[in-house]
């Protein structure tokens, strides 16, 4: 046994363990309120929650760890890291903002100084170190590494004690929202086995995720061990440290240790809990693995990227600066523009990647990725920032795959649809933003589900047999009420709609977080009052292929052995699901895009952790990089062509129909179109108002690349007559005298 390990097995440690169990104090709050919907509880209100019996002691923390030690590799001109002191002060379990405002005052008080801790009559000074999360939330820590003294039932076992894990609406024995002890007494504990010596620096805790119960721990001790038999309790001088826990169940509270401690095992020992509840916790451990090249578990789970990119979280100004750097590095293939502004006035920046940026090329499809419609789902935003860097660098390096994509596709990347929400989550950091802070726009709107419900309009028309006589099965118009100034429509949503109507997008993906799955339309159930129901589109087979193309190339989505993020095992469905069969949602961006434009839109939930620590970004990039590229390439699957008249002029707004598929698309301003289809032979028809229709067979092969299928259509006799009548204001046509005489002469010769 090493000297380091022997240091843990002291008589003082054993005595501390025995004495620590002798004290129990319960904390109570004024009333039992359900804080599950976090948007109803602001951080200012949280400040005012009163705890009648406060814990004995706690360790202050005035720093934010989630943005520390960025890996800066993107060359030249990158924005500097603007870390802010925005964490909670666990001595009073205060929100992050309070710690930031009182940073100067804290320096004057030994109790509140981040670098000193009160110890009896003197002071115990130490330089506090911060480590990233070990990975309970991201699932890097597997279920077999989590243990507990007891459990209430299997669904509340130690494997469910992960930060931000969510319970289902209907709680059951399999998927509940925390670890809950089988008994409510001070002998209970939650344990993590790091499987190697680890430098532990802190703990983050939450209460139980539940619509029906209010359970959280208000104070706890921390113990460490090298052999899981002999435990040492963290001390404040001669007394056990008691850390302040939670005051409600959703907002995370972080405590940093006065000095790092090295061990293999760590336990959280609840000392008091909400008086009307039980001992229930969700936990994240902050720790740095000690160097050990022979450690099997570390090598097995290690993912290393070779891409030289800027792996860090970017605030709004940093994001804008990074996009500028990419544009300066690749000026011939990139263009930065904005599609509008957020509620607080932040511009919604997009970057275009194309061999002719700024113009639509006839026959070249347009693709889009968007991210951050929920501002706290940060991973998608960073993935798009990494993608634009990657494509620029690889294009310059001569990567033929990337060059082909850039030269044959007009790509648009919009990394932050909801920058206002992102800034709220970014301010407090990855481990302290919880599950919902920053999700909504500044005016409280869920942008992703803020689009007009066109499903009901279409289905009502189908029920009345209005299609196609009175209404088309595509390009469903937006209702007038939605366009009024008084409608509850976010500025960001209006900007997205204008963008979607302006650009002839063919395929799009919006990156979301909190799960590992790809969802496809429809997102709303067709049956009234049903919350889950398979509701396919006429293009269901195409959507399923598109979804599978992303999921199957993701490192984890289709892994049958991976642990579920929360309550659903999507790996059984190959990492894909019809949106309505997961949960119904009216007015989604996916449904609107399909019914109002030509664009097929899907949602990619790219990680269990909505806001991963930046140390996780290289691995998350490796998880998603191939999927991001493969999905973009699918825009070249199906048929494409141009519709012209007999004089060779392009016909805009012509309708392209595929026999057997009850959803049409239309040509763009230059008469070109793109119709996503799976391999097979199709009867395709082109028609336009005033023109005769034309049909032909078009075959789609298995190789990548859309099949060319052009159409030439002529004017109908009726349309020519109408055109002439309109030209002369619908008046009888008066022929010149000579023409009239010649006509009468011909009629006499013919005997008429």
């Amino acid at each position: 046994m090493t000297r380091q390990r022997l240091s843990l097995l002291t008589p003082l440690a054993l005595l501390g363990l025995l004495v620590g169990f002798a004290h129990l104090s319960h904390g109570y709050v004024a009333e039992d309120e359900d804080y599950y919907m976090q948007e109803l509880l602001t951080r200012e209100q949280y400040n005012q929650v009163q705890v009648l019996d406060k814990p004995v002691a706690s360790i202050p923390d005035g720093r934010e760890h989630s943005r520390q030690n960025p890996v800066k590799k993107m060359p030249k001109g990158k924005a500097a890291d603007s870390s802010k002191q925005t964490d909670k002060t666990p001595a009073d379990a205060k929100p992050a903002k309070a710690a930031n405002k009182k940073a100067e005052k804290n320096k004057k008080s030994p109790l509140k100084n981040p670098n000193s801790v009160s110890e009896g009559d003197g002071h115990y000074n130490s330089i506090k170190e911060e480590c990233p999360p070990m990975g309970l939330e991201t699932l890097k820590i597997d279920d077999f590494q989590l243990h507990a003294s007891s459990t209430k039932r299997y669904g509340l076992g130690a494997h469910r004690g992960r930060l931000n894990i969510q319970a289902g609406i209907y709680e059951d024995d399999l998927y509940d929202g925390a670890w809950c002890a089988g008994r409510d007494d001070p002998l209970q504990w939650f344990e993590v086995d790091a499987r190697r010596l680890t430098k532990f620096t802190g703990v983050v805790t939450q209460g139980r995720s539940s619509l029906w119960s209010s359970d959280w721990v208000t104070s706890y001790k921390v113990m460490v061990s090298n052999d899981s038999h002999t435990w040492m309790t963290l001390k404040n001088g001669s007394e056990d440290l008691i850390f302040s826990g939670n005051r409600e169940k959703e907002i995370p509270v972080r405590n940093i240790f006065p000095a790092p401690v090295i061990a293999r095992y760590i336990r959280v020992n609840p000392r008091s809990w909400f008086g009307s509840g039980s001992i229930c916790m969700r936990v994240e451990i902050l720790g740095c693995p000690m160097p050990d090249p022979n450690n099997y578990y570390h090598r097995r789970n290690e993912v290393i990227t070779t891409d030289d990119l800027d792996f860090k979280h970017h605030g709004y100004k940093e994001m804008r600066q990074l996009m500028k750097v990419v544009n300066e590095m690749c000026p011939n293939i990139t263009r930065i523009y904005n599609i509008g502004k957020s509620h607080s006035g932040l511009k919604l920046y997009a970057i275009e990647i194309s061999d002719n940026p700024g113009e639509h090329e006839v026959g070249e499809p347009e693709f889009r990725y968007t991210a951050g419609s929920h501002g706290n789902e940060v991973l998608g935003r960073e993935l798009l920032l990494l993608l634009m860097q990657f494509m620029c660098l690889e294009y310059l390096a001569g990567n033929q795959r990337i060059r082909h994509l850039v030269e044959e596709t007009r790509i648009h990347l919009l990394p932050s649809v909801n920058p206002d929400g992102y800034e709220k989550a970014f301010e407090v950091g990855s481990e302290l933003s919880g599950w919902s802070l920053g999700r909504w726009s500044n005016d409280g709107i869920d942008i992703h589900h803020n689009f007009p419900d066109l499903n009901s309009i279409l289905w009502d028309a189908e029920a009345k047999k209005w299609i196609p006589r009175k209404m088309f099965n595509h390009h469903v118009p937006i209702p007038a009420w939605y366009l009024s100034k008084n409608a509850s429509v976010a500025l960001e949503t209006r900007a997205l709609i204008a963008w979607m109507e302006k650009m002839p997008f063919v395929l799009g993906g919006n990156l979301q977080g909190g799960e590992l799955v790809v969802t496809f339309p429809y997102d709303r159930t067709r049956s009234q009052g049903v919350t889950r129901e398979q509701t396919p589109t006429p293009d269901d087979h195409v959507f399923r292929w598109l979804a599978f193309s992303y999921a199957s190339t993701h490192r984890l989505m289709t892994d049958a052995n991976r642990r579920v993020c929360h309550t659903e095992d999507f790996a059984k469905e190959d990492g894909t699901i019809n949106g309505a069969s997961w949960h119904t949602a009216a007015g989604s961006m996916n449904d609107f895009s399909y019914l109002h434009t030509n664009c097929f839109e899907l949602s990619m939930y790219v990680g269990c952790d909505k806001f991963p620590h930046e140390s996780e970004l290289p691995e998350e990039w490796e998880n998603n990089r191939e999927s991001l590229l493969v999905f973009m390439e699918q825009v070249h699957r199906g048929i494409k062509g141009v519709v012209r008249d007999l004089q060779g002029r392009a016909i805009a707004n012509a309708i392209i129909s595929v026999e057997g598929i009850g959803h049409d698309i239309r040509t763009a301003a230059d008469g070109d179109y793109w119709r996503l289809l799976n391999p097979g032979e199709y009867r395709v028809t082109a028609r336009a108002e005033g023109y005769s229709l034309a049909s032909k067979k078009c075959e789609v092969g298995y190789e990548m690349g859309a099949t060319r299928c052009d159409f030439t259509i002529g004017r109908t006799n009726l349309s020519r007559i109408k055109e002439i009548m309109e030209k002369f204001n619908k008046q009888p046509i008066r022929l010149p005298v000579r023409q009239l005489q010649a006509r009468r002469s011909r009629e006499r010769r013919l005997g008429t």
Side-chain angles (χ1 to χ4, degrees):
M1 185 176 291
T2 65
R3 181 178 301 175
Q4 187 179 54
R5 297 187 181 187
L6 284 170
S7 66
L8 294 175
L9 309 180
T10 63
L12 181 60
L14 296 175
L15 179 61
L17 180 61
L18 295 174
V19 173
F21 289 145
H23 175 72
L24 171 63
S25 63
H26 278 277
Y28 299 90
V29 295
E31 56 184 322
D32 180 7
E33 296 181 8
D34 190 346
Y35 294 104
Y36 181 77
M37 299 302 290
Q38 183 173 334
E39 69 274 22
L40 300 179
L41 179 66
T42 65
R43 300 281 161 151
E44 287 72 25
Q45 288 172 319
Y46 176 60
N47 257 339
Q48 299 170 7
V49 177
Q50 298 297 317
V51 177
L52 300 181
D53 185 12
K54 291 186 178 180
V56 176
S58 63
I59 302 305
D61 172 24
R63 294 180 290 174
E64 165 55 47
H65 74 284
S66 69
R67 297 188 289 275
Q68 299 294 326
N69 303 321
V71 181
K72 298 184 179 180
K73 296 182 180 179
M74 189 67 181
K76 299 179 184 178
K78 186 174 65 280
D81 185 13
S82 58
S83 300
K84 303 174 184 177
Q85 295 180 347
T86 55
D87 200 359
K88 297 178 176 64
T89 303
D92 298 312
K94 292 182 179 179
K97 294 180 182 178
N100 190 34
K101 293 177 181 178
K102 298 182 179 181
E104 293 301 321
K105 293 183 180 180
N106 288 352
K107 293 180 181 179
K108 301 177 183 179
S109 169
L111 180 61
K112 295 183 179 180
N113 190 332
N115 294 326
S116 66
V117 178
S118 173
E119 180 187 13
D121 297 329
H123 296 107
Y124 169 57
N125 294 309
S126 66
I127 301 300
K128 293 197 299 181
E129 298 183 41
E130 300 179 20
C131 285
M134 291 181 59
L136 276 76
E137 183 175 7
T138 60
L139 307 183
K140 288 183 70 174
I141 299 294
D142 64 43
D143 288 352
F144 297 105
Q145 292 176 258
L146 304 178
H147 310 279
S149 53
S150 63
T151 59
K152 189 167 290 187
R153 61 173 183 270
Y154 176 77
L156 293 168
H159 65 291
R160 301 295 293 176
R162 300 172 181 270
L163 191 72
N164 285 321
I165 201 166
Q166 300 296 296
I169 295 177
Y170 306 105
E171 297 173 358
D172 53 40
D173 286 336
L174 294 178
Y175 302 111
D176 245 315
W179 161 68
C180 289
R183 299 180 302 276
D184 293 331
D185 61 48
L187 300 178
Q188 305 306 307
W189 45 261
F190 177 85
E191 179 184 307
V192 179
D193 175 8
R195 287 180 172 163
R196 62 183 297 177
L197 287 179
T198 300
K199 179 167 64 177
F200 298 114
T201 63
V203 175
V204 184
T205 60
Q206 277 176 312
R208 177 182 175 183
S209 169
S210 172
L211 286 171
W212 320 109
S213 305
S214 295
D215 305 301
W216 61 86
V217 170
T218 57
S219 68
Y220 59 89
K221 295 181 181 180
V222 174
M223 299 179 287
V224 293
S225 173
N226 276 334
D227 58 9
S228 77
H229 297 291
T230 306
W231 294 86
M232 182 185 78
T233 303
L234 269 60
K235 299 285 185 179
N236 183 13
S238 60
E239 297 182 354
D240 293 346
L241 275 171
I242 299 181
F243 295 90
S244 294
N246 300 87
R247 296 182 180 178
E248 52 82 70
K249 56 191 175 185
E250 286 299 328
I251 299 178
V253 172
R254 186 183 70 163
N255 284 296
I256 298 297
F257 303 155
V261 57
I262 297 175
R264 171 175 169 173
Y265 303 88
I266 185 169
R267 278 182 181 177
V268 178
N269 167 221
R271 306 302 298 171
S272 63
W273 46 94
F274 175 56
S276 299
S278 301
I279 296 177
C280 295
M281 303 183 77
R282 290 177 285 169
V283 178
E284 182 62 83
I285 304 297
L286 308 180
C288 302
M290 300 302 291
D292 184 2
N294 298 318
N295 187 287
Y296 164 74
Y297 296 105
H298 178 66
R299 294 199 316 274
R300 184 185 67 173
N301 296 318
E302 191 174 25
V303 177
I304 299 175
T305 184
T306 58
D307 295 325
D308 190 21
L309 308 175
D310 188 28
F311 293 105
K312 67 183 289 290
H313 287 300
H314 298 81
Y316 179 76
K317 292 182 179 179
E318 293 172 315
M319 176 191 75
R320 185 177 59 186
Q321 179 65 21
L322 178 60
M323 295 174 75
K324 183 180 178 182
V325 170
V326 172
N327 177 240
E328 290 173 349
M329 290 179 61
C330 297
N332 296 328
I333 63 167
T334 62
R335 176 179 71 99
I336 299 173
Y337 65 99
N338 74 81
I339 68 168
K341 293 184 178 181
S342 70
H343 185 271
S344 68
L346 299 179
K347 291 181 179 179
L348 308 181
Y349 285 108
I351 192 167
E352 175 190 341
I353 303 177
S354 171
D355 58 344
N356 286 298
E359 63 178 272
H360 171 74
E361 298 180 67
V362 176
E364 186 171 281
E366 307 222 8
F367 175 92
R368 70 168 180 255
Y369 269 133
T370 61
S373 58
H374 299 143
N376 63 326
E377 294 172 8
V378 173
L379 179 55
R381 170 189 174 115
E382 295 304 327
L383 287 176
L384 292 192
L385 293 176
L386 291 168
L387 179 62
M388 63 180 70
Q389 297 174 57
F390 176 79
M391 294 192 70
C392 171
L393 293 172
E394 291 299 304
Y395 184 89
L396 295 176
N399 184 319
Q400 289 303 307
R401 181 187 186 187
I402 300 302
R403 281 186 168 269
H404 183 267
L405 256 179
V406 172
E407 292 166 1
E408 300 297 327
T409 320
R410 192 182 183 198
I411 300 165
H412 303 258
L413 307 179
L414 177 59
S416 189
V417 173
N418 181 10
D420 296 346
Y422 173 83
E423 290 301 305
K424 292 179 182 177
F426 181 71
E427 184 178 1
V428 299
S430 60
E431 272 57 68
L432 301 179
S433 58
W435 189 249
S436 58
L437 179 66
R439 176 183 175 90
W440 296 271
S441 66
N442 260 12
D443 47 350
I445 294 175
D446 184 333
I447 296 172
H448 185 69
H449 298 107
N450 188 221
F451 293 82
D453 177 14
L454 303 184
N455 305 58
S456 298
I457 297 174
L458 176 67
W459 295 337
D460 185 56
E462 288 177 345
K464 295 177 180 177
K465 302 187 184 302
W466 285 359
I467 296 176
R469 183 169 49 88
K470 291 185 178 181
M471 182 175 161
F472 294 112
N473 63 9
H474 64 289
H475 282 224
V476 179
I478 298 174
W481 67 264
Y482 185 89
L483 299 174
S484 68
K485 293 183 179 180
N486 296 328
S488 297
V489 182
L491 288 176
E492 296 89 342
T493 311
R494 294 189 189 277
L496 283 172
I497 291 176
W499 185 50
M500 294 162 74
E501 291 177 334
K502 179 182 179 181
M503 301 289 188
F505 292 117
V506 179
L507 179 61
N510 54 82
L511 306 188
Q512 314 230 15
E515 261 298 351
L516 276 171
V517 68
V518 180
T519 70
F520 52 89
Y522 289 122
D523 288 334
R524 179 180 177 179
T525 57
R526 189 157 188 160
S527 302
Q528 292 291 333
V530 178
T531 58
R532 290 188 175 194
E533 179 184 66
Q534 191 82 7
T535 310
T537 67
D539 286 287
D540 189 58
H541 292 298
V542 177
F543 273 116
R544 289 183 180 276
W545 167 256
L546 293 171
F548 183 71
S549 71
Y550 192 98
S552 62
T553 50
H554 190 280
R555 287 187 62 252
L556 299 175
M557 279 189 188
T558 55
D559 183 359
N561 297 318
R562 75 170 177 87
R563 187 197 184 284
V564 300
C565 291
H566 301 285
T567 62
E568 303 279 351
D569 187 3
F570 294 113
K572 294 189 300 184
E573 304 294 332
D574 291 324
T576 70
I577 192 170
N578 171 254
S581 66
W582 183 13
H583 54 75
T584 185
S588 74
M589 183 176 179
N590 297 352
D591 288 3
F592 173 82
S593 181
Y594 180 69
L595 294 177
H596 186 68
T597 74
N598 290 341
C599 184
F600 287 30
E601 181 94 7
L602 294 85
S603 292
M604 292 79 177
Y605 291 79
V606 292
C608 298
D609 189 350
K610 290 183 176 183
F611 194 159
H613 189 271
E614 66 182 25
S615 63
E616 301 289 338
L617 292 179
E619 181 171 346
E620 293 293 357
W621 167 245
E622 288 297 316
N623 289 344
N624 288 276
R625 179 186 58 194
E626 181 64 16
S627 301
L628 291 166
L629 297 175
V630 167
F631 186 75
M632 278 195 288
E633 292 169 338
Q634 304 311 305
V635 76
H636 296 284
R637 181 175 296 279
I639 60 174
K640 67 177 182 180
V642 181
V643 179
R644 298 184 175 91
D645 64 13
L646 296 176
Q647 287 72 43
R649 294 171 297 196
I651 301 175
N653 216 34
I655 298 175
I656 306 297
S657 303
V658 179
E659 187 177 274
I661 300 178
H663 180 81
D664 304 333
I665 58 133
R666 300 198 182 193
T667 57
D670 296 316
D672 47 352
Y673 77 91
W674 307 262
R675 197 3 169 139
L676 297 176
L677 292 168
N678 286 341
E681 190 176 89
Y682 301 90
R683 168 68 63 177
V684 184
T685 300
R687 66 182 187 276
E689 186 175 357
Y691 291 85
S692 301
L693 60 83
S695 296
K696 63 171 62 175
K697 284 187 177 181
C698 303
E699 186 173 346
V700 178
Y702 287 91
E703 66 279 358
M704 188 58 67
T707 301
R708 189 85 188 200
C709 203
D710 296 325
F711 291 89
T712 300
I713 55 180
R715 301 294 298 272
T716 64
N717 291 335
L718 180 60
S719 69
R720 289 200 296 267
I721 293 172
K722 286 182 178 180
E723 184 179 356
I724 294 172
M725 295 292 286
E726 290 174 358
K727 182 177 180 180
F728 293 95
N729 296 320
K730 298 184 179 180
Q731 297 297 321
I733 301 174
R734 296 180 180 179
L735 298 176
V737 175
R738 290 183 180 179
Q739 291 185 22
L740 184 59
Q741 290 175 345
R743 179 178 175 181
R744 288 176 178 173
S745 176
R746 286 195 303 271
E747 290 174 351
R748 282 196 297 269
R749 286 198 303 271
L750 295 172
T752 59

